[in-house]
Amino acid sequence: MTSSKANNSRVSFASLTLNNLGTVRKLNSVLFPIKYTEKFYEGILSPDVENFCKLVYYNDIPVGTICCRFENKDEQVHLYLMTMGVLAPYRSRGLGSQTLQLILDAAISHEKPSINKIYLHVQTSNVEAKQFYEKHGFKQVGLHENYYKKIVPHDAWILEKTIEH
Amino acid sequence: MAAKRALTPKEANLFKDLLTLYETRQLKKGLKTADQILKKFPEHGETLCMKGLILTHMGQRDEGIDLVKKGMRLDLTSHIVWHVFGLIQKGEKNYEEALKSYTQALRFDKDNINILRDAAQLQTQLRLYDSLVETRYTLLKLRPTLRQHWVALAVAYYLNGNLDQAKNVMEKYESILKNIPDYDVEHSETLLFHVRVLEALEEHSQALSLLDTNAKERAIVDKTAIMEYRARLLSASSSTTGEAQEGEGEASAAWHTLIDHNSENIDYYYGYLASLGLHPTLSPSYDSTKALETLQTLSTALPRASFPRRLALTLAPSPSSEDTNGTFHTLAKPYILTALQKGIPSLFVDLKSLYTDQGKMEAIQGIVEDVLRSFDSEDTSNAEIDRDPSMYIWTLYFLAQHYSYLASHPTLPQPSSPPYIPSSSSSSTPPNPSPYPTQSHSLHLISLAISHTPTLPDLHLLQSKILKRAGDPYGAATAVNRARELDGQDRFLNGKTGNALMRAGLVKEASGAPGEVGSGSGGGGGQQGKGGVLGVFTKKDAASPASDLEDMQSLSYLLEEADAQRRTAPSNLGLALKRYLAVQKIFTEIQDDQYDFHGYCLRKFTINVYLNLLTWEDSLLLHPAYLKSAISASQIFVYLHDGTLFPSFGILGGAGKDRGGSGSKGGKGGKGGKGGAGEMTDAEKKAKKKAKKAAAAQKEKAKEREKEEGKKAPQAANEDKGLEPPAPKDDDPDGTKLLVCEDPLERAAKLLAPVVKLLLSKKDKTSKGKNASQKRMKGYGEIEFWVTVYDVAVRRKKFLQAIQALTQAHTLDPEHPEVHLRLIHASKTVSSFSSSSPPSETITSTFSSQLSNLLPSTISPETHNSQYLQKHSKNARAILASAKALEMLGSSTKEEVETVVFGMLGSGAGAEGVHVDVETALEGLGYLYSLASDEKAEEFRVKCDERFVSSTVFKSEQEQGKLRDAVREEVTRLPGEEKEKGDGEVSG
């Protein structure tokens, strides 16, 4: 397992492998009201996104995950943040901020292709999450109506942040 | 004869060449040379033998051995033919016979160095130390210039217990040594051996001065060994002379140096304390306060060492209850809190040895419960405890282990206060309050932890363990599989899953070949086509995970599968036997493996570790795995002999049912000898016939196979295949032949005999040795072993052996239920002596008189049995034994026996508070089935099912089948393939 120590010695990160994918599945099933497809799990194992898909450990216990993918739009490269979550008991300890910062740093230093912006969807009921991203410099740029088919509310905000190189 | 051996000069030279060619393993050339000689002297015995030997090396074993035998007959007085024959026998690991051949060879050539050296190795392997000394002496006389021969003789003396001679040889050897290079490891080893000899002679000051001189001169280079010997010798010399503070001070200093060197070695701490007169058991003036102060000083000096802190918990006096400011409490609290904060998973395992002390156990429980309470109370004022979420789950984890352990070890002191049940908002419903810990408490705590942090494998693993203890093998398998899915590269979790599956009756899903798995899920590839779960980490080109695990000598796997086969169905007993015997084979291999070291270690002068190896090999067979397999296989052999039903011991209680229907009045070999066959049911006779038929058919097949292989035997490559015979073809892969073997009792006796010898010889030796053997046996019952020896011996009509075994078991625990049952059996055996044909007057009288030492002959066995039942009316296992005894005595009705069995569940009058665990209850159920009391058994089963709330083993067969199918589906499905089908791709 390749894990890198973050500033806070109790928090560390690990890249995803076929072997710890079971942990990602478990976290997703607890954290999100959506069941992800096998295509999703194939995608996050791709070597291209290794720096943007991580498990988050607190005291050596896997408690969170963050997964992104690349999207090409109008000759620009966007990083789409698909999932990010930390188990409820471990929130408000800076884990989310550290994780997001890790991804932002990776995005800044990423070359070939260089990343123009990072964006994501937040369900309109999840005000806390929106505030969290805004705190980290994301801006709401739109509303996607009926984004979620099976969960209520169906709408999602679109938040994005431009990557300054 | 001698005339026949003579060759013409040309051939004589050729023969010399032949020997050299063999030595250098130029087999093809050697063969040609031999043929050249034989052209002229076709009757030359030595050449024939050499040719045979070479052919054997080339893999043409049968032909080669025929030639060797032919050559021997032609020249029986040649040392060469006997040497060759000895080599062949040695290759077959037939050490006794090989040594005989070597002895013959030496008769005709008594100074042959090669033969002497080989003989010495055989003598060491066979532990014939008297003759080893002689051989080594001869070798030294023949070649006194070889250093190795001196040391080898000293080692032989040492092994034979002639310490003085060993010392003399070493002194002489050192006096004639010249030109030793500096830092010579070989010389250092021999000097250390010399010190070892002196230590064994208790000549401490001599040993010390030898050690110090050579350490200073840098002749002994192993620094750790020097320090350890010094510390030990200083301690020993000060304790024997009783002299002086000074000596003590030096010893303490030596131990202290060792502790600085390695602060996690228990022996160093005990040595240090002993040198200060503070050893808890060895020091007459032991003072715990001083000992604790000493440890405190050590922990301050070595802040990173955990052992002094842990040892302090052992040495602290037992606290009185409610005393939360006592020494133990003060020491334990920081120890536990630090570990919980750090998240040390092994904390409970580390502390559980303290649980024999009720005060300490309750103090620990109090400390951890307080931590949990502070988490529950939402009270942040307690600054002592950081409200860290990971600490919270480790606290739950600890307490879950704590309650589960206490609940499954009723003989340990139990806490006087009821367990703390945290309030919970989660879905898991708290168990009913109970004054004592139960598995339900643990299950509640662990499910709280899992819903808090579902990603920690340790939690699922513990849940599995608790479920297993609670009697739910299916839930246990599912839980551990969840842990496995979290971390695909964890071999430990994988192995645990395999074991749990076997306990749930899913052997194929655990270790089956690719084609055998996944029948339940309707294809889907199962374990990615790898066969059973265990196949994830076994060799990919092995026939099945099972066969690779056997090759890799995995004892735990073999035992687990054997137990699983034994539980499932009577037809699988053969496979169970096969697996138990495979364990036995592994131990033989380990014993054989030491052979090469007898030569190698002396040549390389690695004497000290070599001597440790020999000591270790000497008590190898007391390894729990060997004992368990020997006992279990013997039990099966006994049942095969008796021809009675094999009682359902296992967790799959429901399976006991198809063993019902036999009126096996003979019971536990009540009839002793023959006549078992008459008691079999038709169904069993059929099964036996079938097995015989299958065995015969397999034999045919094997023959055909052999024929075919014989045809295409590869012709003479120059490749050396060695002298070891190739592994024989397994012509009984399912153990069906074992089930119909003619001599089950003899086979059982053969398994048990070496351990009997070992245990008795240990007992003959000092009491020290006895302690060591008991310590070793702790994991698997010595009582169970002796009882099994009794069962086998009494059926073989070896009455003296039987009574000896029974006496041994009786000494260990006269009230043990299995011992009680055998006592009754023995007294019944005595009364049968007069009626049936008696073995012999002296034997019967010895048997009865020795039995009367254990069981007064003035009391009838019937009375004794009812007294025993009264005395142990709260012990379920004792109740079951007394029911079996009642049946064996034959004067009670079936209803009476059944009533006693039901007493296990406390239904009888005044039997409130009988402690019964799942395993014992299952045995009771199996016993009722074997009595053919189907209706009663059903009633018993339903009662158990109600009583053991978290269990599934008392469900009906049908219900258990469904549970098993569910587990199968769970482990064979692909990841992500879950019951509810997910919706389309959505993200965010």
Side-chain angles (χ1 to χ4, degrees), chain B residues 811-916:
Chain B
T811 326
L812 291 167
D813 180 4
E815 300 291 326
H816 193 282
E818 296 297 318
V819 175
H820 168 71
L821 194 57
R822 268 49 172 210
L823 285 174
I824 301 292
H825 182 267
S827 69
K828 225 193 138 202
T829 310
V830 167
S831 55
S832 75
F833 280 154
S834 47
S835 56
S836 67
S837 58
S840 102
E841 199 63 33
T842 40
I843 289 177
T844 51
S845 67
T846 318
F847 189 87
S848 341
S849 78
Q850 289 203 23
L851 179 62
S852 64
N853 293 336
L854 313 179
L855 186 71
S857 49
T858 47
I859 307 171
S860 76
E862 284 82 1
T863 318
H864 179 73
N865 191 35
S866 59
Q867 282 173 353
Y868 181 82
L869 179 57
Q870 262 172 21
K871 194 168 165 189
H872 300 283
S873 59
K874 304 274 182 234
N875 177 339
R877 211 163 266 280
I879 295 172
L880 181 59
S882 120
K884 287 179 182 171
L886 202 62
E887 184 212 351
M888 191 193 294
L889 288 166
S891 49
S892 310
T893 61
K894 200 164 101 176
E895 285 69 35
E896 284 169 319
V897 176
E898 287 162 2
T899 312
V900 177
V901 177
F902 271 78
M904 290 169 72
L905 300 181
S907 63
E912 273 303 306
V914 175
H915 188 279
V916 57

Side-chain angles (χ1 to χ4, degrees), chain B residues 365-393:
Chain B
Q365 172 173 311
I367 291 166
V368 186
E369 280 181 350
D370 276 348
V371 176
L372 192 56
R373 246 179 230 117
S374 80
F375 274 107
D376 278 349
S377 66
E378 299 291 331
D379 168 18
T380 43
S381 64
N382 193 344
E384 233 180 317
I385 296 161
D386 169 28
R387 299 168 60 82
D388 183 288
S390 71
M391 183 174 179
Y392 174 68
I393 52 167

Side-chain angles (χ1 to χ4, degrees), chain A residues 10 19-20 22-23 25-27 30 35-36 38 58-59 61-62 69 80 82 87 89-90 93 147-148 150, chain B residues 341 387-390 393-394 452-456 482 485-489 975-976 982-983 985-988:
Chain A
R10 301 200 119 183
N19 283 322
N20 61 23
T23 303
R25 288 177 192 277
K26 174 65 86 180
L27 282 168
V30 179
K35 188 177 148 48
Y36 291 90
E38 285 312 298
Y58 179 75
N59 262 2
I61 304 167
R69 72 168 179 241
Y80 176 58
M82 297 186 284
L87 289 176
Y90 298 85
R93 294 182 168 261
Y147 178 71
Y148 298 104
K150 303 205 171 171
Chain B
Q341 246 146 17
R387 299 168 60 82
D388 183 288
S390 71
I393 52 167
W394 289 118
H452 179 281
T453 304
T455 45
L456 185 60
R482 276 199 292 271
E485 285 176 344
L486 290 176
D487 189 350
Q489 64 191 347
D983 43 4
E985 182 177 4
V986 204
S987 44

Side-chain angles (χ1 to χ4, degrees), chain B residues 303-556:
Chain B
R304 294 182 67 88
S306 67
F307 194 71
R309 282 172 244 275
R310 174 62 186 79
L311 185 58
L313 300 184
T314 307
L315 298 188
S318 174
S320 54
S321 52
E322 303 306 315
D323 175 14
T324 51
N325 295 315
T327 316
F328 181 79
H329 204 274
T330 323
L331 291 167
K333 196 167 180 182
Y335 188 86
I336 293 173
L337 289 187
T338 314
L340 290 176
Q341 246 146 17
K342 277 193 189 159
I344 295 176
S346 59
L347 179 64
F348 178 74
V349 178
D350 177 26
L351 293 180
K352 73 178 176 190
S353 61
L354 298 168
Y355 279 34
T356 46
D357 182 322
Q358 171 143 19
K360 290 186 184 177
M361 180 273 291
E362 291 194 323
I364 293 171
Q365 172 173 311
I367 291 166
V368 186
E369 280 181 350
D370 276 348
V371 176
L372 192 56
R373 246 179 230 117
S374 80
F375 274 107
D376 278 349
S377 66
E378 299 291 331
D379 168 18
T380 43
S381 64
N382 193 344
E384 233 180 317
I385 296 161
D386 169 28
R387 299 168 60 82
D388 183 288
S390 71
M391 183 174 179
Y392 174 68
I393 52 167
W394 289 118
T395 307
L396 285 171
Y397 181 73
F398 183 94
L399 275 180
Q401 290 176 90
H402 169 88
Y403 294 135
S404 172
Y405 182 73
L406 288 172
S408 58
H409 291 79
T411 51
L412 283 175
Q414 298 286 320
S416 44
S417 53
Y420 169 65
I421 305 171
S423 54
S424 82
S425 50
S426 90
S427 56
S428 165
T429 42
N432 298 326
S434 141
Y436 49 86
T438 63
Q439 302 297 352
S440 312
H441 288 122
S442 311
L443 282 175
H444 175 61
L445 292 179
I446 199 65
S447 60
L448 284 182
I450 289 176
S451 55
H452 179 281
T453 304
T455 45
L456 185 60
D458 307 59
L459 302 179
H460 297 280
L461 190 62
L462 177 59
Q463 190 183 38
S464 167
K465 186 171 188 173
I466 303 169
L467 285 168
K468 179 185 88 176
R469 283 176 172 162
D472 179 9
Y474 311 108
T478 315
V480 68
N481 190 54
R482 276 199 292 271
R484 186 179 73 98
E485 285 176 344
L486 290 176
D487 189 350
Q489 64 191 347
D490 193 319
R491 280 167 185 259
F492 178 75
L493 293 176
N494 192 266
K496 284 281 176 192
T497 309
N499 288 352
L501 286 172
M502 288 192 270
R503 269 183 244 115
L506 295 165
V507 178
K508 290 214 164 79
E509 282 69 11
S511 63
E516 299 175 323
V517 191
S519 55
S521 58
Q527 290 296 315
Q528 294 106 48
K530 282 176 192 145
V533 164
L534 291 169
V536 178
F537 290 109
T538 54
K539 249 196 226 154
K540 298 294 165 261
D541 53 355
S544 68
S547 69
D548 188 44
L549 286 165
E550 188 174 337
D551 286 346
M552 293 294 110
Q553 306 190 323
S554 168
L555 297 173
S556 72

Side-chain angles (χ1 to χ4, degrees), chain A residues 15-82:
Chain A
S15 298
L16 303 188
T17 68
L18 201 54
N19 283 322
N20 61 23
L21 202 60
T23 303
V24 181
R25 288 177 192 277
K26 174 65 86 180
L27 282 168
N28 284 353
S29 76
V30 179
L31 289 169
F32 310 118
I34 291 161
K35 188 177 148 48
Y36 291 90
T37 59
E38 285 312 298
K39 219 175 124 198
F40 171 86
Y41 290 107
E42 272 165 41
I44 58 177
L45 284 181
S46 155
D48 313 339
V49 291
E50 193 193 326
N51 292 331
F52 304 99
C53 297
K54 295 282 179 191
L55 270 173
V56 187
Y57 289 76
Y58 179 75
N59 262 2
D60 297 326
I61 304 167
V63 296
T65 167
I66 187 160
C67 292
C68 309
R69 72 168 179 241
F70 287 115
E71 281 176 4
N72 295 314
K73 261 182 204 162
D74 320 324
E75 303 193 359
Q76 277 207 331
V77 178
H78 297 173
L79 189 65
Y80 176 58
L81 205 163
M82 297 186 284

Side-chain angles (χ1 to χ4, degrees), chain A residues 34 121-126 143-158, chain B residues 983 986-988:
Chain A
I34 291 161
H121 287 96
V122 173
Q123 198 177 6
T124 49
S125 54
N126 199 349
L143 183 78
H144 195 312
E145 281 178 36
N146 281 323
Y147 178 71
Y148 298 104
K149 309 275 180 309
K150 303 205 171 171
I151 50 175
V152 181
H154 294 297
D155 302 345
W157 292 304
I158 303 167
Chain B
D983 43 4
V986 204
S987 44

